[in-house]
Amino acid sequence: MDGSWALILGVSSGFGAATARRLAAAGCGIVGVHLDRRATMPAVEALQAELESLVPGRVRFFNQNAADDAGRAAILAELAPLIAPGSLRVLLHSLAFGSMAPLLAAPGAKAVRRAQIEMTSEVMGHSLLWWAQGAVEAGLMGEGGRIFAMTSAGSHMVWPGYGPVSAAKALLEAYIRQIAVELAPRGITANAILAGVTRTPALEKIPGSELLIQKAEARNPHGRLGTPDDVARCVVALAGPETHWMTGNVIRVDGGEDISG
């Protein structure tokens, strides 16, 4: 992947960070978008330094809300002179920021609000489309490009409090199918990656996450949870030219967890 680039939305932890490490080790420059406050910035800076050691001079991080239109436009404009036309090999959407709340509240409790639903859908669903549009229209991604979006079993299963995110994940998968068809004539593929229950900062925010972990460990035929690096290894393999005919899928990268439940 020497000379190519990857744009990772949600680069600072979890699947985004693990994939950035693997792609950089393969010689791919990394553009990372993240949203972190002062408390977590030391870890972000350490990751950036680690990547810089792998691909010197070819790492750019932006601490920016990936769902902000003006911010996205500014980042893409800054990348235009940096990334040669068509050399953006990978676009990974790994944003995990949304509301956890019941859709219909029990007596005395509060149900999710419209603003929370709209924010969750925008960050975890619609933003994939806007970034794909921007990257392709700017000429950054062309033939051989690979678009990946992180989905979850919650797109087709019910977990307590996961309703707003579940809807966003279903939306994300629908966009992947449509993008795959519309970009096929340009030689760009689009696939969703279903990673299973994985210990990440995003998982810790799900109500009852420890119970989810216990059930997933018991259900997975490998007898363990997957790791972000398990997924990152697969993304790197799928980014190769050999997968040009694989598009529009929801690909399980979960060790068999989803089909064992």
Side-chain angles (χ1 to χ4, degrees), residues 178-216:
Q178 194 70 27
I179 289 170
V181 170
E182 294 193 22
L183 289 184
R186 304 190 192 207
I188 299 171
T189 67
N191 291 283
I193 304 294
L194 196 162
V197 177
T198 310
R199 286 189 181 274
T200 64
L203 176 66
E204 296 173 358
K205 298 176 183 177
I206 298 176
S209 60
E210 284 303 319
L211 182 59
L212 282 177
I213 289 171
Q214 293 172 15
K215 289 182 176 180

Coordinates of all heavy atoms in Angstrom, one line a residue, residues 178-216:
Q178 N -26.5 0.9 -1.2 CA -26.7 1.8 -2.2 C -25.4 2.4 -2.8 O -25.2 2.5 -4.0 CB -27.6 3.0 -1.7 CG -28.2 3.8 -2.8 CD -29.2 3.1 -3.6 OE1 -29.9 2.2 -3.1 NE2 -29.4 3.5 -4.9
I179 N -24.5 2.7 -1.9 CA -23.2 3.3 -2.3 C -22.4 2.2 -3.2 O -21.8 2.6 -4.2 CB -22.3 3.7 -1.1 CG1 -22.9 4.9 -0.4 CG2 -20.9 3.9 -1.5 CD1 -22.3 5.2 0.9
A180 N -22.5 1.0 -2.8 CA -21.8 -0.1 -3.5 C -22.3 -0.2 -4.9 O -21.5 -0.3 -5.9 CB -22.1 -1.5 -2.8
V181 N -23.6 0.0 -5.1 CA -24.1 -0.1 -6.5 C -23.8 1.1 -7.3 O -23.3 1.1 -8.5 CB -25.6 -0.3 -6.5 CG1 -26.3 -0.1 -7.9 CG2 -26.0 -1.7 -5.9
E182 N -23.9 2.3 -6.7 CA -23.7 3.5 -7.4 C -22.2 3.8 -7.7 O -21.9 4.4 -8.7 CB -24.2 4.7 -6.6 CG -25.8 4.7 -6.5 CD -26.4 6.0 -6.0 OE1 -25.7 7.0 -6.1 OE2 -27.5 5.9 -5.5
L183 N -21.3 3.2 -6.9 CA -19.9 3.4 -7.1 C -19.2 2.3 -7.9 O -18.0 2.4 -8.2 CB -19.1 3.7 -5.8 CG -19.4 5.0 -5.1 CD1 -18.5 5.1 -3.9 CD2 -19.2 6.2 -6.1
A184 N -20.0 1.2 -8.2 CA -19.4 0.1 -8.9 C -18.8 0.5 -10.2 O -17.7 0.0 -10.6 CB -20.5 -1.0 -9.1
P185 N -19.5 1.4 -11.0 CA -18.9 1.8 -12.3 C -17.5 2.5 -12.2 O -16.7 2.5 -13.1 CB -19.9 2.7 -12.9 CG -21.2 2.3 -12.3 CD -20.8 1.9 -10.9
R186 N -17.2 3.0 -11.0 CA -16.0 3.7 -10.7 C -14.9 2.8 -10.2 O -13.8 3.2 -9.8 CB -16.2 4.9 -9.8 CG -17.2 5.9 -10.3 CD -17.2 7.1 -9.5 NE -18.4 8.0 -9.7 CZ -18.4 9.3 -9.5 NH1 -17.3 9.9 -9.1 NH2 -19.4 10.0 -9.7
G187 N -15.3 1.5 -9.9 CA -14.3 0.6 -9.4 C -14.1 0.7 -7.9 O -13.0 0.3 -7.4
I188 N -15.0 1.3 -7.2 CA -14.9 1.5 -5.7 C -15.9 0.5 -5.1 O -17.1 0.4 -5.5 CB -15.3 2.9 -5.3 CG1 -14.3 3.9 -6.0 CG2 -15.3 3.1 -3.8 CD1 -14.7 5.3 -5.8
T189 N -15.5 -0.2 -4.1 CA -16.4 -1.1 -3.3 C -16.8 -0.5 -2.0 O -16.1 0.4 -1.5 CB -15.7 -2.5 -3.1 OG1 -14.6 -2.3 -2.2 CG2 -15.2 -3.1 -4.4
A190 N -17.9 -1.0 -1.5 CA -18.4 -0.6 -0.1 C -18.9 -1.8 0.6 O -19.8 -2.5 0.1 CB -19.4 0.5 -0.3
N191 N -18.5 -2.0 1.8 CA -18.9 -3.1 2.6 C -19.0 -2.7 4.1 O -18.3 -1.9 4.5 CB -17.9 -4.3 2.5 CG -17.9 -5.0 1.1 OD1 -18.9 -5.7 0.8 ND2 -16.9 -4.7 0.4
A192 N -20.0 -3.3 4.8 CA -20.1 -3.1 6.2 C -19.4 -4.3 6.9 O -19.4 -5.4 6.5 CB -21.6 -3.1 6.6
I193 N -18.8 -4.0 8.1 CA -18.0 -5.0 8.9 C -18.8 -5.1 10.2 O -18.9 -4.2 11.0 CB -16.6 -4.5 9.1 CG1 -15.8 -4.2 7.8 CG2 -15.9 -5.6 10.0 CD1 -15.6 -5.4 7.0
L194 N -19.3 -6.4 10.4 CA -20.0 -6.7 11.7 C -19.0 -7.4 12.6 O -18.6 -8.5 12.3 CB -21.2 -7.6 11.4 CG -22.2 -7.7 12.4 CD1 -23.6 -8.2 11.9 CD2 -21.8 -8.6 13.6
A195 N -18.6 -6.7 13.6 CA -17.4 -7.1 14.4 C -17.8 -8.0 15.6 O -17.0 -8.5 16.3 CB -16.6 -5.9 14.9
G196 N -19.1 -8.0 16.0 CA -19.4 -8.7 17.2 C -19.1 -7.9 18.5 O -18.7 -6.7 18.4
V197 N -19.4 -8.5 19.6 CA -19.1 -7.8 20.9 C -17.6 -7.7 21.1 O -17.0 -8.7 21.2 CB -19.9 -8.5 22.0 CG1 -19.5 -7.8 23.4 CG2 -21.4 -8.5 21.8
T198 N -17.1 -6.5 21.2 CA -15.7 -6.3 21.4 C -15.4 -5.2 22.5 O -16.2 -4.2 22.5 CB -15.1 -5.8 20.0 OG1 -15.5 -6.6 19.0 CG2 -13.6 -5.7 20.1
R199 N -14.5 -5.5 23.3 CA -14.2 -4.5 24.4 C -13.6 -3.2 23.8 O -12.4 -3.2 23.4 CB -13.2 -5.1 25.4 CG -13.9 -6.1 26.3 CD -12.9 -6.5 27.4 NE -13.5 -7.5 28.3 CZ -14.3 -7.3 29.4 NH1 -14.6 -6.0 29.7 NH2 -14.7 -8.2 30.1
T200 N -14.4 -2.2 23.7 CA -14.0 -0.9 23.3 C -14.6 0.2 24.2 O -15.5 -0.1 24.9 CB -14.4 -0.6 21.8 OG1 -15.9 -0.6 21.8 CG2 -13.9 -1.7 20.9
P201 N -14.1 1.4 24.1 CA -14.8 2.5 24.9 C -16.3 2.6 24.5 O -17.1 2.9 25.4 CB -14.0 3.7 24.5 CG -12.6 3.2 24.2 CD -12.9 1.9 23.5
A202 N -16.6 2.4 23.3 CA -18.0 2.5 22.9 C -18.9 1.4 23.5 O -20.0 1.7 23.9 CB -18.1 2.4 21.4
L203 N -18.3 0.2 23.7 CA -19.1 -0.9 24.3 C -19.4 -0.5 25.8 O -20.5 -0.8 26.3 CB -18.3 -2.2 24.2 CG -19.0 -3.4 24.9 CD1 -20.3 -3.8 24.2 CD2 -18.0 -4.6 25.0
E204 N -18.5 0.1 26.4 CA -18.7 0.4 27.9 C -19.8 1.3 28.1 O -20.4 1.4 29.2 CB -17.4 1.0 28.4 CG -16.2 0.0 28.4 CD -14.9 0.6 28.8 OE1 -14.9 1.9 29.1 OE2 -13.9 -0.1 28.9
K205 N -20.2 2.1 27.1 CA -21.3 3.0 27.2 C -22.7 2.4 27.0 O -23.7 3.0 27.3 CB -21.2 4.2 26.2 CG -19.9 5.0 26.4 CD -19.7 6.0 25.3 CE -18.4 6.8 25.5 NZ -18.2 7.8 24.4
I206 N -22.7 1.1 26.6 CA -24.0 0.4 26.4 C -24.5 -0.1 27.7 O -23.8 -0.8 28.5 CB -23.8 -0.7 25.4 CG1 -23.4 -0.2 24.0 CG2 -25.1 -1.5 25.3 CD1 -23.1 -1.4 23.0
P207 N -25.8 0.2 28.1 CA -26.3 -0.3 29.3 C -26.3 -1.8 29.4 O -26.6 -2.5 28.4 CB -27.8 0.2 29.3 CG -27.7 1.4 28.4 CD -26.7 1.1 27.4
G208 N -25.8 -2.4 30.5 CA -25.7 -3.8 30.6 C -24.6 -4.4 29.8 O -24.7 -5.6 29.4
S209 N -23.5 -3.7 29.5 CA -22.5 -4.2 28.6 C -21.8 -5.4 29.2 O -21.4 -6.3 28.4 CB -21.4 -3.1 28.3 OG -20.8 -2.6 29.5
E210 N -21.7 -5.5 30.5 CA -21.0 -6.7 31.1 C -21.8 -7.9 30.8 O -21.2 -9.0 30.6 CB -20.8 -6.5 32.6 CG -19.7 -5.5 32.9 CD -18.3 -6.0 32.3 OE1 -18.0 -7.2 32.4 OE2 -17.6 -5.1 31.8
L211 N -23.1 -7.8 30.8 CA -23.9 -9.0 30.5 C -23.8 -9.4 29.0 O -23.7 -10.5 28.7 CB -25.4 -8.7 30.8 CG -26.4 -9.8 30.6 CD1 -26.0 -11.1 31.4 CD2 -27.8 -9.4 30.9
L212 N -23.7 -8.4 28.2 CA -23.5 -8.6 26.7 C -22.2 -9.4 26.5 O -22.1 -10.3 25.8 CB -23.4 -7.3 26.0 CG -24.8 -6.6 25.6 CD1 -24.5 -5.3 24.9 CD2 -25.6 -7.5 24.8
I213 N -21.1 -8.9 27.3 CA -19.8 -9.6 27.2 C -19.9 -11.0 27.6 O -19.4 -11.9 26.9 CB -18.8 -8.8 28.0 CG1 -18.5 -7.4 27.3 CG2 -17.5 -9.6 28.2 CD1 -17.7 -6.5 28.2
Q214 N -20.5 -11.3 28.7 CA -20.7 -12.6 29.3 C -21.4 -13.5 28.3 O -20.9 -14.7 28.0 CB -21.4 -12.6 30.6 CG -20.6 -12.0 31.7 CD -21.4 -11.8 33.0 OE1 -22.5 -12.4 33.1 NE2 -21.0 -11.0 33.9
K215 N -22.5 -13.1 27.7 CA -23.2 -13.9 26.8 C -22.4 -14.1 25.5 O -22.5 -15.2 24.9 CB -24.5 -13.2 26.4 CG -25.6 -13.2 27.6 CD -26.9 -12.5 27.1 CE -27.9 -12.6 28.3 NZ -29.2 -11.9 27.8
A216 N -21.7 -13.1 25.0 CA -20.9 -13.2 23.8 C -19.8 -14.2 24.0 O -19.5 -15.0 23.1 CB -20.4 -11.9 23.4

